[in-house]
Amino acid sequence: MISQLSWKIGGQQGEGVESTDRIFSTALNRLGYYLYGYRHFSSRIKGGHTNNKIRISTSPIRAISDDLDILVAFDQETIDLNAKELREGGVIVADAKFSPTVPEGVSARLFAVPITAIAEELGTSLMKNMVASGASWALLGLPLEVFNKAVEEEFGRKGPAIVEKNVEAVRRGAEFVLEQAGGPLEEFKLEPADGVQKLFMIGNEAIGLGAIAGGCRLMSAYPITPASEIMEYLIKKLPKFGGTVVQTEDEIAAATMAIGANYAGVRTMTASAGPGLSLMMEAIGLSGMTETPLVIVDTQRGGPSTGLPTKQEQSDINALIYGTHGEIPKLVVAPSTIEECFYDMVEAFNVAEEYQIPVIVATDLQLSLGKQSCDVLDYDSVRINRGKLVEGELPPLEEHRMFKRYELTENGVSPRVLPGMKNGIHHVTGVEHDQEGRPSESAVNRAKMMDKRLNKIKNLRVTNAVKVHAEQKDADVLIVAMGSTGGTIEEARTRLTKDGVKTAHVTVRQMFPFPSELLEPHLKSAKQIMVLENNATGQLANLIKQNLGYHDKIKNVLKYDGTPFLPSEVYKACKELI
Amino acid sequence: MATFKEFRNNVKPNWCPGCGDFSVQAAIQRAAANVGLEPEQLAVISGIGCSGRISGYINAYGLHGIHGRALPIAQGVKLANRELTVIASGGDGDGFAIGMGHTVHAIRRNLDVTYIVMDNQIYGLTKGQTSPRSAEGFKTKSTPEGSIEHTLSPLEIAMSAGATFVAQSFSSDLKQLTTLIEEGIKHKGFSLINVFSPCVTFNKVNTYDWFKENIVNLEQFPDYDSSNRIAAMNKIMETHGMLTGLIYQDKSRKSYEDLAVGFKEQGLAKQKLELSREQFDKLLAEFK
């Protein structure tokens, strides 16, 4: 029996690839398997090859696999493009409709199942997904009743007749393939999972969930890949808590509307990707200058310009840190796991109010869209902290005085009152201003106010600003990365350890202000440092060099072809280094 | 109840003597008092430009944002706390050039915000360049041979974008302007009030006298029906947009806040943020 397996479904975009994946993985989740998904898709709606890959495991996994065990193909193109990924002895389940063939040099076994024919016989080719997933399920020798339960849940609200038809499609697919294969494939028999259903979601949903738990009640946003799922989740949920999502006319409106709403006292967010973030830069400056809380999620994708909208990249870091004109305090945090997507959002809303600054939460496409098992999220660790928000009554102001919204304090953070509060009237402006918010060009005031704002974040460190996966004082290589790459590195490390290679591994989660003092001890003791990132210019490596040096020790491994690192690539890079 | 004096502060405006914006400021202060507001119940959100400074000259909550973005900020404020009266304001460059996209969509969205544009047909703060409201042939520093672009008609655009309240006034007519702002504040939805507010320094064509000669007050037409969309559009076109008064009002359409499903009827800013364990578990259960 095996402990992990990789399965992929491919076809033309819009022909049921997504739904096959959904129903198949939902059923696996019911059995308690850990899952990690990867979507290969294009920036179009119908047509064009697309595929979804799922890693299935009896223990937690956070990486896609190098190879593939089972490929389900709706067309020959899927086989031609993906068969080379199949491992020795892999299996192809293909629609008999297109008389599938196995490309030369590939040793996979092929099962041609009349996927379309069965579906059409049952009434509609839409049920292809059920036939295909039923066949896959049967090959793995998994209990059909569990799958049927998942089908029931998916189609229950459409009535028993529809459920029955789909169950029948699953049965027919399973029956056909088992007859061809002579029963379930022994070599693909998975060890039983723990039977505990896991949370199963994409990073964008974890972000939405974290936002609600963190007190977010409004979102203003403009659709963009790969961020839209956040607004789509929140528009379903926020009205249940009295709030709403406004789809704005552009990202400038999204960011400025969020500033207005935060100014008036509601935790409000926006989310976008590179092109949208570029448009938001002036607004981010306004938030920094007026000390108005703001939370922005940047789901990084391939840039520059329109770039690779549906592909993996980690190339916005420089823009997020340096993008605004002038100098403002801000926080840029990059979650590296699905759980962190949740907890970081809670923290982002707290930091935004405690420090009165813009907070940017930067994910990457794989983290935002890869559907995966998620640990239990802890209700008790969610805390709301609104910082120096003034509650209760204020004493009357002296005549012609305003509330000192920008009062110079020891840590630079001033008391904040919300519009509507008696005796709290003050002015807010992006023009340099005095303690009451009145425009001021005084040189003395200017210097004081700049220092006040910039000093606020001096000691700002988020939870696990530098996350230590493995500390080894005598390691041959210290691997440093950010975002979703951590899981892949951990998998590579397991192989390296078997080979006797000692590695240490840290993830930099806080990109700005840079947590130098937390990272330095690791760099200091490292023999060699490998910085792995999905961009072409080594933005993380450059941040480290700029803040801490270590030019001679750092080897930068870059991948910017639109795909995430594979464990084998990390393994190879490490081997080459030592 | 607050008087208009309580909406004054001691900040000296940096407007030129004779600027039309002084009257707009006074009209807002009077209208706010007339509708019974206390200063803390009003938020004035403004853009960038001479007129954008207005939020700093009124004793109320105020936010002076970035160029062209007064409307999205103002809408954010209203969404966060619908109990506040929200006035957005700025110039014709702010609202009809850099911010035109927001203007059209704020009109469509119909949140309960009153938008007052101080329209002087020129860029004042940058010392005299053409604006989308400048007349064809208008000579400025950026159009030394005269503007060759068509003059934008904000009233026509507002009507076609589905505005529920469209008015226009002249800064010299403090009485009419004050009344229109009061009506705008009372209107349940988005109200656009375009105000001819002469720039005495850089616009030597569209002067106080020029406006007095060229504008038509709707009071001259006792049969005019401001609830008739077609009549409104006709009147705007007949007068080439040189009319003042309440041009159009649709009282039947609900505001965005009232239409948004589940949107809280009290100010959202006032509710507690913590989820109960039960609410939290319910959200998680959907991912199993």
Side-chain angles (χ1 to χ4, degrees):
Chain A
M1 286 214 275
I2 53 173
S3 61
Q4 66 97 12
L5 176 138
S6 282
W7 175 91
K8 184 187 264 192
I9 167 96
Q12 292 296 300
Q13 213 144 284
E15 72 168 335
V17 170
E18 283 291 321
S19 59
T20 310
D21 175 351
R22 189 174 63 242
I23 194 85
F24 187 62
S25 50
T26 305
L28 284 164
N29 187 46
R30 296 185 78 95
L31 288 170
Y33 287 103
Y34 288 91
L35 305 166
Y36 187 88
Y38 173 70
R39 282 176 72 197
H40 168 98
F41 66 114
S42 305
S43 197
R44 55 201 277 186
I45 305 305
K46 290 255 181 199
H49 173 70
T50 175
N51 67 62
N52 283 23
K53 189 174 177 180
I54 316 172
R55 186 94 176 274
I56 308 152
S57 171
T58 50
S59 55
I61 30 148
R62 297 187 187 279
I64 50 175
S65 53
D66 293 307
D67 50 20
L68 183 64
D69 297 288
I70 299 177
L71 173 66
V72 180
F74 282 157
D75 55 16
Q76 185 63 39
E77 191 187 358
T78 298
I79 300 177
D80 295 341
L81 289 172
N82 299 283
K84 58 181 183 306
E85 205 177 311
L86 283 163
R87 70 169 175 81
E88 200 63 31
V91 160
I92 301 173
V93 177
D95 195 340
K97 185 185 172 188
F98 61 89
S99 310
T101 53
V102 181
E104 245 175 80
V106 175
S107 69
R109 293 167 68 188
L110 171 71
F111 298 112
V113 179
I115 294 174
T116 305
I118 293 174
E120 280 174 351
E121 234 173 80
L122 290 170
T124 164
S125 65
L126 283 177
M127 280 192 291
K128 271 164 69 175
N129 51 6
M130 291 298 137
V131 184
S133 46
S136 304
W137 193 261
L139 280 177
L140 300 182
L142 296 167
L144 213 56
E145 61 275 13
V146 174
F147 199 92
N148 289 341
K149 263 257 167 74
V151 174
E152 229 178 275
E153 235 164 60
E154 171 100 8
F155 297 103
R157 60 194 164 84
K158 292 186 178 170
I162 300 284
V163 172
E164 216 167 283
K165 271 203 170 161
N166 281 283
V167 166
E168 177 64 7
V170 170
R171 195 191 61 79
R172 296 271 302 269
E175 199 177 80
F176 193 94
V177 84
L178 287 183
E179 209 178 288
Q180 272 203 356
L185 301 173
E186 274 310 310
E187 66 271 32
F188 290 148
K189 209 159 169 56
L190 278 162
E191 288 167 10
D194 60 12
V196 179
Q197 230 169 297
K198 314 286 181 291
L199 293 172
F200 182 48
M201 63 180 85
I202 61 172
N204 281 348
E205 288 165 333
I207 285 169
L209 203 53
I212 299 176
C216 172
R217 294 297 176 265
L218 283 173
M219 181 194 201
S220 44
Y222 187 82
I224 191 169
T225 303
S228 299
E229 292 79 6
I230 303 171
M231 73 185 289
E232 286 162 12
Y233 176 70
L234 288 178
I235 189 57
K236 279 186 265 172
K237 296 299 160 204
L238 284 182
K240 295 188 167 55
F241 302 96
T244 196
V245 173
V246 179
Q247 181 176 327
T248 53
E249 52 275 20
D250 57 31
E251 287 90 345
I252 297 175
T256 46
M257 196 178 284
I259 289 173
N262 274 295
Y263 157 71
V266 174
R267 290 190 163 190
T268 305
M269 69 177 289
T270 185
S272 191
L277 262 291
S278 293
L279 288 182
M280 292 177 188
M281 285 302 167
E282 192 186 10
I284 293 170
L286 177 70
S287 157
M289 182 60 156
T290 59
E291 307 191 45
T292 307
L294 175 64
V295 174
I296 298 176
V297 174
D298 175 26
T299 58
Q300 296 178 85
R301 66 184 212 187
S305 186
T306 306
L308 292 172
T310 61
K311 305 287 182 245
Q312 166 75 1
E313 209 162 89
Q314 300 170 323
S315 57
D316 292 351
I317 304 301
N318 282 347
L320 300 181
I321 295 175
Y322 305 113
T324 318
H325 63 274
E327 296 151 314
I328 57 158
K330 64 163 88 144
L331 169 69
V332 181
V333 61
S336 66
T337 64
I338 192 148
E339 294 82 7
E340 287 170 20
C341 285
F342 173 84
Y343 293 114
D344 284 356
M345 285 307 289
V346 177
E347 192 165 7
F349 279 103
N350 284 339
V351 168
E353 285 205 308
E354 286 174 62
Y355 292 81
Q356 303 175 8
I357 55 169
V359 174
I360 303 174
V361 179
T363 67
D364 52 45
L365 185 134
Q366 174 55 20
L367 183 55
S368 268
L369 296 188
K371 197 164 180 178
Q372 52 179 299
S373 305
C374 173
D375 288 345
V376 174
L377 300 172
D378 180 21
Y379 173 79
D380 292 317
S381 68
V382 175
R383 291 269 179 280
I384 308 266
N385 185 345
R386 305 202 68 181
K388 288 194 187 170
L389 187 65
V390 176
E391 282 173 74
E393 280 184 25
L394 287 169
L397 295 161
E398 282 170 47
E399 207 191 347
H400 296 314
R401 300 313 308 178
M402 292 195 284
F403 180 81
K404 282 192 180 176
R405 168 69 184 91
Y406 302 104
E407 189 179 354
L408 296 167
T409 62
E410 206 168 313
N411 65 0
V413 183
S414 317
R416 175 172 159 241
V417 294
L418 303 180
M421 198 170 204
K422 200 170 167 63
N423 302 320
I425 285 177
H426 58 274
H427 192 47
V428 175
T429 173
V431 174
E432 188 57 272
H433 42 265
D434 65 15
Q435 296 187 64
E436 296 176 6
R438 296 170 203 253
S440 164
E441 290 183 350
S442 142
V444 175
N445 176 73
R446 163 67 174 179
K448 276 185 185 164
M449 282 295 164
M450 283 298 283
D451 291 343
K452 163 203 191 318
R453 288 189 295 266
L454 295 174
N455 287 340
K456 284 194 295 187
I457 57 162
K458 249 192 185 159
N459 300 313
L460 168 55
R461 295 291 179 266
V462 297
T463 310
N464 284 328
V466 172
K467 181 169 137 187
V468 183
H469 298 263
E471 205 170 6
Q472 286 202 43
K473 286 275 177 275
D474 56 344
D476 302 307
V477 189
L478 164 70
I479 309 174
V480 184
M482 59 183 165
S484 65
T485 320
T488 309
I489 295 169
E490 280 306 287
E491 194 150 329
R493 283 189 59 246
T494 310
R495 291 183 215 176
L496 289 160
T497 308
K498 277 186 194 155
D499 290 0
V501 180
K502 288 181 191 157
T503 52
H505 175 202
V506 298
T507 294
V508 179
R509 289 177 15 85
Q510 183 171 321
M511 316 312 293
F512 187 86
F514 199 71
S516 297
E517 80 292 351
L518 297 174
L519 186 59
E520 173 130 55
H522 301 279
L523 304 183
K524 215 179 225 170
S525 61
K527 285 182 210 155
Q528 299 191 77
I529 301 161
M530 190 169 93
V531 183
L532 252 122
E533 43 191 319
N534 281 133
N535 60 59
T537 54
Q539 300 186 16
L540 175 59
N542 288 338
L543 271 180
I544 297 170
K545 289 175 189 171
Q546 178 195 336
N547 286 285
L548 290 161
Y550 296 99
H551 294 69
D552 49 338
K553 278 195 202 175
I554 290 175
K555 161 101 197 308
N556 214 182
V557 177
L558 306 171
K559 191 179 186 193
Y560 44 92
D561 65 357
T563 63
F565 281 104
L566 291 171
S568 61
E569 291 167 340
V570 179
Y571 173 84
K572 207 170 137 234
C574 264
K575 282 283 210 177
E576 276 168 12
L577 190 63
I578 55 168
Chain B
M1 230 172 52
T3 66
F4 75 91
K5 284 180 184 162
E6 285 165 69
F7 287 89
R8 286 182 184 165
N9 61 21
N10 68 339
V11 183
K12 190 176 171 292
N14 59 359
W15 296 323
C16 307
C19 176
D21 295 352
F22 285 103
S23 305
V24 179
Q25 176 197 343
I28 292 174
Q29 289 161 332
R30 280 163 197 266
N34 290 351
V35 298
L37 290 174
E38 296 297 328
E40 66 271 11
Q41 296 172 319
L42 174 66
V44 181
I45 313 299
S46 60
I48 299 294
C50 294
S51 54
R53 287 294 184 108
I54 197 162
S55 58
Y57 306 149
I58 292 169
N59 186 42
Y61 281 92
L63 194 155
H64 176 229
I66 44 181
H67 196 23
R69 320 300 167 202
L71 279 175
I73 296 172
Q75 291 170 87
V77 173
K78 188 68 188 183
L79 284 164
N81 190 350
R82 58 194 293 182
E83 291 165 28
L84 292 171
T85 292
V86 180
I87 290 178
S89 61
D92 47 317
D94 202 67
F96 303 143
I98 188 168
M100 189 68 211
H102 305 308
T103 303
V104 170
H105 290 281
I107 290 170
R108 291 179 56 226
R109 200 168 283 130
N110 199 36
L111 267 150
D112 190 0
V113 168
T114 302
Y115 184 34
I116 301 166
V117 182
M118 284 155 268
D119 181 359
N120 58 8
Q121 295 90 10
I122 197 154
Y123 279 59
L125 196 60
T126 48
K127 299 188 170 34
Q129 297 84 12
T130 187
S131 123
R133 292 284 295 131
S134 300
E136 278 183 62
F138 187 63
K139 287 189 178 174
T140 67
K141 282 182 186 158
S142 61
T143 52
E145 306 298 327
S147 170
I148 52 174
E149 293 179 28
H150 183 70
T151 309
L152 194 124
S153 168
L155 303 178
E156 285 173 47
I157 288 173
M159 290 302 298
S160 59
T164 55
F165 185 105
V166 180
Q168 188 160 259
S169 190
F170 177 32
S171 66
S172 284
D173 192 345
L174 188 61
K175 190 164 160 260
Q176 181 199 47
L177 179 56
T178 305
T179 309
L180 287 173
I181 294 173
E182 286 170 36
E183 293 305 314
I185 291 172
K186 286 187 222 154
H187 178 70
K188 302 267 177 259
F190 188 86
S191 41
L192 170 69
I193 304 168
N194 192 59
V195 187
F196 296 126
S197 178
C199 173
V200 292
T201 305
F202 294 107
N203 192 337
K204 305 293 185 194
V205 177
N206 310 109
T207 59
Y208 284 97
D209 288 341
W210 184 87
F211 280 111
K212 276 175 196 154
E213 270 167 39
N214 286 282
I215 52 180
V216 185
N217 191 324
L218 278 173
E219 279 171 16
Q220 293 172 20
F221 310 97
D223 296 336
Y224 183 76
D225 175 8
S226 62
S227 70
N228 185 329
R229 199 159 179 264
I230 295 169
M233 202 64 167
N234 278 336
K235 194 55 90 185
I236 294 167
M237 292 177 120
E238 275 168 28
T239 59
H240 303 285
M242 296 301 293
L243 70 172
T244 64
L246 175 59
I247 299 162
Y248 180 68
Q249 185 173 17
D250 174 1
K251 291 181 180 169
S252 65
R253 187 172 165 77
K254 284 186 176 171
S255 69
Y256 187 95
E257 309 90 292
D258 286 335
L259 287 170
V261 175
F263 196 66
K264 215 171 166 60
E265 283 173 31
Q266 299 77 36
L268 201 51
K270 291 178 181 168
Q271 78 164 13
K272 79 183 237 316
L273 303 182
E274 285 84 2
L275 295 185
S276 68
R277 189 180 290 272
E278 193 192 352
Q279 286 173 318
F280 183 73
D281 288 343
K282 204 173 157 200
L283 287 172
L284 288 196
E286 291 176 24
F287 293 104
K288 284 193 176 170

